[in-house]
């Protein structure tokens, strides 16, 4: 069974780089341009995991994570932040909002794949 990952980032080049990395490893990838777009997509289709940026227009990563977690059907879906932010306070806010991990950009492709494999399997 193919695992489906939602990638949320306002940067087209970052979305494309993450998507290519995951698709190359056999995952199905959908993308969203910000947290609001991501919420709309998660209402139409279930995902096995979400990788989200923090700083985005309309709805940032924390806002997305809180809204996503407010729906019971999303309780078991892992959310990992992939952001340029690295302060402990923002990471703690993300954990409180329901994220299970935080990676810092620029990201290492093998590390990203390793994290995703741990979350959803190969």
């Amino acid at each position: 069974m193919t695992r489906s990952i939602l990638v949320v980032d306002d940067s087209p080049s970052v979305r494309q780089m993450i998507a290519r990395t995951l698709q190359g490893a056999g995952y199905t990838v959908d993308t969203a341009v910000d947290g609001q777009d991501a919420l709309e997509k998660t209402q139409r289709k279930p995902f096995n995991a979400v990788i989200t940026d923090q700083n985005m227009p309309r709805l940032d990563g924390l806002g997305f994570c809180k809204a996503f977690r407010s729906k019971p059907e999303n309780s078991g879906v892992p959310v990992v932040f992939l952001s340029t932010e690295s302060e402990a306070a923002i990471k703690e806010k993300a954990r409180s909002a329901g994220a299970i991990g935080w990676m810092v950009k620029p990201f290492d492709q093998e590390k990203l794949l390793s994290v995703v494999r741990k979350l959803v399997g190969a």
Side-chain angles (χ1 to χ4, degrees):
M1 179 174 143
T2 302
R3 302 295 186 175
S4 181
I5 313 295
L6 178 62
V7 175
V8 189
D9 201 300
D10 58 323
S11 166
S13 61
V14 172
R15 278 195 316 270
Q16 185 178 49
M17 193 177 339
I18 296 169
R20 281 187 183 167
T21 298
L22 295 173
Q23 289 165 339
Y27 296 101
T28 299
V29 178
D30 285 41
T31 60
V33 299
D34 59 29
Q36 186 61 45
D37 185 30
L39 278 179
E40 292 165 8
K41 289 185 176 179
T42 60
Q43 289 170 357
R44 292 191 300 263
K45 175 183 174 182
F47 293 93
N48 298 105
V50 179
I51 298 171
T52 184
D53 188 15
Q54 164 51 21
N55 298 314
M56 298 177 287
R58 294 201 305 164
L59 186 62
D60 67 11
L62 288 174
F64 162 76
C65 196
K66 288 176 189 173
F68 183 71
R69 287 285 180 238
S70 73
K71 302 197 180 302
E73 63 270 22
N74 298 327
S75 65
V77 179
V79 176
V80 174
F81 278 74
L82 180 59
S83 178
T84 57
E85 302 265 351
S86 62
E87 298 82 33
I90 192 77
K91 290 178 183 179
E92 182 54 40
K93 286 180 182 178
R95 276 191 290 278
S96 294
I100 65 159
W102 192 284
M103 295 178 65
V104 178
K105 294 177 191 173
F107 69 95
D108 175 85
Q109 290 179 331
E110 284 306 315
K111 183 174 180 181
L112 176 67
L113 289 174
S114 174
V115 168
V116 171
R117 284 184 193 113
K118 286 177 187 172
L119 297 176
V120 301

